[in-house]
Structures are given as C-alpha cells and as structure tokens.
Amino acid sequence: MKQWPLSNLWKKLPEQVRRLSILGIILVAFFLMIRSLLIPSDFGKFGHYRASAVEEIASLPMQYAGQMACVECHEETVTLKGKGYHKNVACEICHGPAAAHTRDPGSVKLTAPRGRGYCPICHEYLPSRPTGFPQIVSNSHNPMKPCISCHNPHDPKPPQTPKECSACHGEIAKTKSLSHHVYIPCTRCHNVPKGHKISPRKFLPTKPSTREFCGGCHAKGAAGEKGIPQVDLATHGKRYVCWQCHYPHLPEAH
Amino acid sequence: MEEIIRHLTPLLKEITGYIYPNEIELHWGILVVIYPYITGLVAGAFILASIVKIFNVKEVQPTYRISLLTALAFLIVAPLPLLAHLGHPEKSYEIFLTPNTSSAMAMFGFVYAWYLMAVLLLEIWFDYRKDIILWAKKETGFRKWLHKILSLFSVDVSERAIKFDKKAVKIITVIGIPSAFLLHGYVGFIFGSVKANPWWSSVLMPIVFLFSAIVSGIALILIIYMIVTPLRAKQIDMVCLNKLASYLFYVMIVDFSLEALDFMHRIYESEESIKILSQLVSGKLFVSLIVIQLLIGMLIPLGAIATVKIFDLPDELKKQIYFLSALLVQVGIFTTRWNVVIGGQLFSKSFSGLTAYKMTFFGMEGLLTSIGLLLLPFIILFVLFKILPPWDEARTAVK
C-alpha cells in the first residue's frame, strides 16, 4: 500500500500527543457541527443578530391603540384631557394597553388607577425631575385622601392656585434655602406674572439679564444691608455675566 | 410596578445629594463581587504553580499539584456567579457560536475556554499522565475505568514518553503565565475600561487586579495546605510553609505599592470626581476600605509575617500566625473586590450624590447563593483530591 506522508508524521508523534489530538479533533469537529446546526441561517445578514427577528417582532400583536382610537367612544374625556395639564399624558399610561378594549369594549374592561399610590410615580418630589414639573411630597400633601377626590385625573387643576414656587421648582427652592441667598425671595430676582402659576409656560417670569442687577446689592458702595460682600463691578469677572461663575440659587465664593 | 416602588422606597431614604434615577439601585451586586474574587484565586493559584515549575523551586514542590487542582476547582465555578447574575444560563453557549469581537465581555467565553482547555487541563493531564496509568493498573472496578478514561487509554510510560510529558508541562507553563495574566487582567480590564466611572477607569486596574489575585491565590494555597496536611495525619513541611509565606509577603508588598501608587495618582490628578470619591472613601466605604481592606487585610498580615521573619519564632507560633494572616488576607482581598464593584456604583455620575447597596438574603442575587458559590469550589476540590491525589506518597507508592 502507498504510504501517505502524513501518516508517517502521525506515527512519529508521541503516543500521548496522538491521543490528545484525536480528542482535540473530535471536540473541534463537534463544535463546528453544533455551530452549523444551531446558528440560524439568516444570522449576520444585517448585523450581529438574526435578520428574521425584525419581522418576528414586527408581527407581534399590537397592545396599544393610541389616543386617537378613544375619540370614537370617549370623545368627552379626550377633549377634556386635551385642554388640561395632562394633555401630553397618554390615556394608556394610566389605563393600560387598550387595543383589545377598542375592538371589544363590552368584554375587555380597562381598569383605572384610583388609589393614592399611583399618581406619585410621576409627581413625587425627586431632585432629578425637571424644574417646573409639579411635584408634591405625598406624605404631607393632604394625606390619606385619594388624589382623585380633589384632582380630576383628566383635567388635574389644583383646586386652588399653589402658593409657593416650590410646588413646581422644588429643587431650586431647596437649594436656595441652604444658600447665602436664603432670605432673598424668588420674586426679588424674578418678575412673576399672575398667570404663571396656572399656565406656567404661557406666562414665563423674567430672569435677571445684566451684571448691574446683582450689582444692586453687591457693587462697591451699593446701598443695602450691612454685611453683604461687595465687589468692584468694573474689574470683577468682567465681560461675563455673574451667573457664568456663581449659581444664583447657591452662590459660592471659592 | 408596586413591587418596584416597595423595593425602591427604603433605598430612597439612604440617598444623599443628587443622583440620577437609574443610579438609585445597584445593577451589579454581590455575585459580581464574587466573580473577580474567584477568578483571582484561579489566576493566583496557577501562577504559584507556575513559579514552582519554571524556577524549579524545590521547597514548595508539595504545593504544586494542590495549586493546579485548586485552580481547576475554582475555574469551574468562576463563570457560575455570572450565569446566576445574568439569568438564562441555557443561552450562555451562544456567545461561543456567534463571537462578538467588539465586546470584551462576550470575548470572556474564549479567554475562559482557552485557559481551561489549552492551559489548565492540559498541564494537569501531562503532569498526572504517568501516575494515572500506573494507578489504573493497580486498581479495580470503577476507579480503574475512571482513570483509564482520564488517561485517554494512554499506556506509554517509557522513559522517552515521560521526558516528553515533562517538557510539555514546561511549555504549557510558559504559555500559561501570560494566559493567567490575561484571564485576570481581563477582569480588571472590564472595570478599568469604563471611561465614565472614575472609580474604575484606570490603566492600573488590570495590574492591581493581577497582583491582588496572586496574593489571594498564594494565601489560599497556604490555607488549604495547612488544613489538608494535618487532616491526612501528616507533618506540615515548615520549609515549604516559610517559603510560601515569604512569597505572600513579597507579593503583598508589590500589591500594596501598586495600590498606593494608584491612590496617590488619583489624589495628585485631583480630577473633578475627587470630591465625591473622598466622600465615598471617608463615608460609605470607610469600614470596608480603610478598616478591612487596608488595615485588617493588608497591614496587619504584613506586620505579622514581618514579625515572624525578624524574630525567629517557634514553629507552632509561626504556623498560627501564617494561618491567621492568610485568612485575613482572604477577607481583605474579598473586600477589595467589594470596594471596586460596589464602591464604583455608590456614587452618582453627576458626582454630587451617593446611594446605598442593600443585599438580599434569599434569591438568585442574594447572600445565600453567594455563600453556596463560595463553598462549591471546595466540594469540587475534595472530589478532585479523591480522583487525582496530589500527595507525594501517591506519586511514589506505585514505583
């Protein structure tokens, strides 16, 4: 029989290496076989994923109907909500996915979050909530009563206009209360139009815009209480407005 | 939803300062602490074995095979915390099928497989082959077949073949050291490469991880050796023990210097994160970092071993000091991992607030699972000791 050059080499290998190689070859072959069996054929067509996964996900049944679907039967609620503070809060956030309900309202009933625990998910005071967002501390805001006994969830006007700026600017108010400016009322620096507390975005307060404004208390020789630290406006931080270096609600001088 | 709120409410009370909503709850809990701890033990034990082999250190020869088996036992357990943490272990093989080269975490599977198959198992196999064949010859029944299969039915015990085994072990050791560095350096790399996290992001991270790994590995072998030897009614080899303790001492000094270097570097650089980090170190991490990691886990053992070295104490006392020091070192290295993993998630990326970590007792991510995972390697090790006795007399008995 003809001698294969490879078989010569094979015989020259030490016995243990031959055995290991066989095991190695079996393992690699096994791995390759598994790989070819298990990798879906359309893997990697578009990227590091299965191409058909896109279609699979797209063909999942729809759970949400969207606000427009409710108009047909709940027109009143939709119009009411569309005018109120919750106009940008979708119906299905509070009532859950409603696609099935729109198809068969008789047998698929939605639930409404009537408990007190629900609304604070969005309205509980959190420093990271954007300024202007209405926030309450639920432990102290009219405790025990359900929120909807005073606020209509579809048109949540506060029964009376909030008195404090902290209702919607909690973080700023908290920050200021620990700062050197603690005794300066917000309205000393901001002119707040009447409507701001009712339609805050329609009636925006003013903000200081000049260096001279802060200079009113801090310029050399400015009249005012004693003990206010004073700087020379002509040289101190010139060319910049003061709040590029000092946060007005927590001014620091170091 | 309710469950989430119930879970988050107590945490909210622990928060200080400003923190983003998604930072309130830690995503990596105790399981992710255990994972680098265990891989560290693997790498450390293996590097100890490699030192023995490469530099042919006669004194610590008794621990060579113990180290290899320990590394194997812990390596088998190393991925389990990750699997438990990620969930869906039945899908884990997929990272091998479709390798994602742009993800360091996905490549871990290959680092692990390489280390297990190409390094550790091979080295153990070549080192034990002759013994396994000889054992199989003398044994009967189940053990005979087990050993036959383990030897892959190899029969060649000629002078030449054994010489080849020895050479193979040497070569694998040489490949193994960079591999062990890769295995654990990789774990440090995962943390060190998180740019957004100043507590982690440091090029020194892989190196610090590596040296603390070697420290913990040597300490572990010392502990295992000191427990197992009396259990077998044998005399502890003082020369071996002294040498191990010396290794431990010197590597700890290197580790300590590296960590000090990292620390000074951070303080001198004084990046914008320094304020929150110093709050972290002096507040929430004070006990685990300063008291346990630094004092109990580093300075006290260093001092104790130094005392042994300076004053030539009686052997009995030496043993006790070594043993206690090694235990303290384990506690220290465990908290090192804790401080890295947990500490790195306690402060807000806004650098102006801190959160807290609440560990659960039950559940997949709880303390109970973790304790189980930490005990498992010892059970595996016990079985390995039965199948592949690493003792000297097992080697010579069949001659």
Side-chain angles (χ1 to χ4, degrees):
Chain A
M1 231 173 63
K2 209 174 142 229
Q3 278 271 314
W4 293 92
L6 268 182
S7 77
N8 249 342
L9 183 70
W10 179 251
K11 285 212 182 103
K12 270 205 200 117
L13 285 177
E15 185 240 25
Q16 60 267 53
V17 175
R18 266 181 275 156
R19 290 178 191 276
L20 267 185
S21 322
I22 291 173
L23 182 68
I25 291 168
I26 292 176
L27 282 180
V28 170
F30 182 69
F31 175 75
L32 290 178
M33 192 183 75
I34 295 260
R35 211 178 112 86
S36 68
L37 282 180
L38 287 184
I39 296 187
S41 56
D42 56 351
F43 184 91
K45 196 168 156 201
F46 302 130
H48 201 78
Y49 59 89
R50 208 158 39 83
S52 58
V54 179
E55 280 151 37
E56 263 165 48
I57 293 165
S59 66
L60 288 175
M62 288 236 243
Q63 305 288 342
Y64 288 88
Q67 187 152 316
M68 293 327 285
C70 318
V71 179
E72 191 187 319
C73 311
H74 300 295
E75 198 180 347
E76 241 170 79
T77 317
V78 176
T79 351
L80 179 67
K81 190 177 79 75
K83 286 189 298 204
Y85 286 109
H86 275 168
K87 60 174 176 290
N88 292 329
V89 183
C91 315
E92 288 164 292
I93 287 183
C94 298
H95 290 298
H101 171 75
T102 54
R103 266 179 259 122
D104 183 6
S107 51
V108 184
K109 298 250 157 65
L110 294 180
T111 54
R114 294 186 169 86
R116 212 183 131 83
Y118 180 72
C119 315
I121 292 171
C122 290
H123 286 293
E124 188 70 67
Y125 169 72
L126 256 191
S128 48
R129 298 227 146 106
T131 185
F133 188 81
Q135 297 169 55
I136 51 143
V137 175
S138 54
N139 281 342
S140 56
H141 182 81
N142 305 304
M144 306 316 278
K145 285 199 188 158
C147 315
I148 54 174
S149 65
C150 300
H151 305 283
N152 180 346
H154 301 137
D155 183 19
K157 274 194 289 288
Q160 71 206 49
T161 318
K163 285 181 279 303
E164 305 296 335
C165 311
S166 62
C168 307
H169 299 292
E171 184 56 17
I172 292 178
K174 260 199 179 170
T175 309
K176 189 176 79 75
S177 70
L178 298 173
S179 81
H180 288 283
H181 279 167
V182 52
Y183 296 117
I184 310 176
C186 308
T187 43
R188 172 71 175 77
C189 302
H190 299 290
N191 262 328
V192 184
K194 261 225 183 82
H196 180 65
K197 289 180 177 174
I198 298 158
S199 302
R201 289 196 177 76
K202 220 157 151 198
F203 304 98
L204 281 176
T206 60
K207 291 185 288 188
S209 57
T210 60
R211 291 164 55 83
E212 284 65 35
F213 176 82
C214 309
C217 292
H218 286 297
K220 277 254 146 62
E225 296 167 50
K226 271 203 279 174
I228 299 181
Q230 298 191 327
V231 294
D232 184 358
L233 277 202
T235 54
H236 183 83
K238 59 180 173 200
R239 291 201 291 121
Y240 301 99
V241 282
C242 314
W243 41 93
Q244 272 170 299
C245 299
H246 305 286
Y247 184 50
H249 309 129
L250 184 67
E252 285 171 314
H254 44 253
Chain B
M1 189 59 100
E2 300 236 320
E3 200 184 324
I4 297 174
I5 292 172
R6 216 176 310 123
H7 181 69
L8 288 182
T9 314
L11 272 178
L12 284 170
K13 299 205 173 76
E14 308 262 336
I15 292 176
T16 53
Y18 177 91
I19 187 153
Y20 296 123
N22 61 345
E23 294 171 329
I24 296 171
E25 196 186 7
L26 269 62
H27 301 287
W28 288 357
I30 182 153
L31 287 180
V32 184
V33 174
I34 288 183
Y35 158 67
Y37 177 63
I38 291 184
T39 45
L41 291 173
V42 176
F46 182 81
I47 288 169
L48 177 65
S50 307
I51 296 173
V52 177
K53 249 301 96 95
I54 289 194
F55 300 109
N56 208 6
V57 191
K58 287 267 155 24
E59 295 94 321
V60 266
Q61 201 66 41
T63 63
Y64 171 67
R65 284 184 165 184
I66 299 183
S67 309
L68 282 185
L69 295 185
T70 307
L72 180 60
F74 278 83
L75 188 66
I76 292 172
V77 178
L80 298 187
L82 288 186
L83 293 182
H85 169 69
L86 292 172
H88 286 291
E90 79 280 3
K91 294 184 181 173
S92 60
Y93 70 90
E94 291 181 8
I95 61 165
F96 292 105
L97 299 188
T98 52
N100 184 348
T101 46
S102 61
S103 157
M105 289 196 187
M107 293 320 281
F108 168 70
F110 292 92
V111 175
Y112 177 83
W114 163 265
Y115 189 74
L116 176 68
M117 310 280 233
V119 176
L120 204 47
L121 285 181
L122 268 192
E123 177 160 347
I124 293 177
W125 192 75
F126 275 116
D127 190 61
Y128 270 97
R129 195 186 62 92
K130 180 194 86 182
D131 292 335
I132 302 179
I133 296 172
L134 296 181
W135 289 333
K137 275 191 189 147
K138 291 184 67 177
E139 288 161 346
T140 52
F142 174 71
R143 282 187 73 89
K144 185 186 186 77
W145 280 101
L146 183 69
H147 280 140
K148 274 200 153 183
I149 293 172
L150 283 183
S151 71
L152 301 178
F153 302 99
S154 170
V155 286
D156 192 351
V157 285
S158 65
E159 197 76 21
R160 209 174 70 105
I162 289 168
K163 227 170 153 184
F164 182 86
D165 284 345
K166 290 217 167 109
K167 212 156 90 196
V169 168
K170 268 255 158 79
I171 295 171
I172 296 168
T173 311
V174 173
I175 301 171
I177 291 185
S179 302
F181 275 43
L182 186 68
L183 179 78
H184 204 62
Y186 154 87
V187 180
F189 174 87
I190 287 283
F191 289 98
S193 60
V194 180
K195 274 182 277 192
N197 189 321
W199 187 244
W200 291 342
S201 174
S202 155
V203 271
L204 269 182
M205 201 60 127
I207 303 171
V208 173
F209 258 64
L210 203 69
F211 274 88
S212 54
I214 303 177
V215 168
S216 67
I218 297 178
L220 178 69
I221 300 302
L222 197 147
I223 293 173
I224 292 180
Y225 179 67
M226 287 190 72
I227 292 180
V228 167
T229 313
L231 279 185
R232 299 191 307 120
K234 291 275 154 24
Q235 208 61 42
I236 288 181
D237 180 353
M238 262 337 265
V239 183
C240 169
L241 204 59
N242 283 333
K243 196 83 189 172
L244 274 184
S246 303
Y247 283 164
L248 182 62
F249 183 73
Y250 294 127
V251 183
M252 270 171 85
I253 289 182
V254 177
D255 183 36
F256 180 67
S257 336
L258 279 172
E259 277 176 41
L261 187 63
D262 188 37
F263 186 65
M264 287 188 286
H265 189 245
R266 280 167 193 276
I267 292 185
Y268 188 74
E269 245 186 346
S270 232
E271 288 188 354
E272 60 201 316
S273 58
I274 192 75
K275 261 196 195 162
I276 190 76
L277 293 189
S278 52
Q279 258 185 54
L280 184 71
V281 170
S282 58
K284 303 215 178 209
L285 282 191
F286 184 78
V287 173
S288 62
L289 186 80
I290 307 291
V291 179
I292 303 183
Q293 177 181 337
L294 188 65
L295 189 67
I296 297 182
M298 185 69 85
L299 296 180
I300 293 182
L302 269 180
I305 301 179
T307 316
V308 172
K309 282 180 160 296
I310 297 169
F311 310 101
D312 200 14
L313 301 176
D315 280 357
E316 257 332 291
L317 191 57
K318 264 190 189 170
K319 280 187 209 165
Q320 283 165 12
I321 293 183
Y322 287 158
F323 191 72
L324 279 180
S325 304
L327 279 184
L328 290 185
V329 166
Q330 288 304 337
V331 174
I333 300 291
F334 185 82
T335 43
T336 308
R337 309 293 182 238
W338 174 280
N339 292 327
V340 169
V341 175
I342 303 294
Q345 302 171 80
L346 287 181
F347 62 92
S348 166
K349 304 294 173 297
S350 65
F351 300 156
S352 42
L354 297 167
T355 182
Y357 174 53
K358 279 227 155 68
M359 189 161 49
T360 52
F361 183 72
F362 295 106
M364 213 47 171
E365 303 251 351
L367 186 62
L368 202 62
T369 316
S370 314
I371 294 175
L373 284 173
L374 284 177
L375 289 180
L376 189 57
F378 292 100
I379 299 171
I380 298 178
L381 190 60
F382 177 77
V383 176
L384 286 177
F385 279 170
K386 288 272 167 246
I387 301 175
L388 300 170
W391 333 120
D392 272 344
E393 62 268 21
R395 233 189 262 240
T396 46
V398 274
K399 270 223 175 117

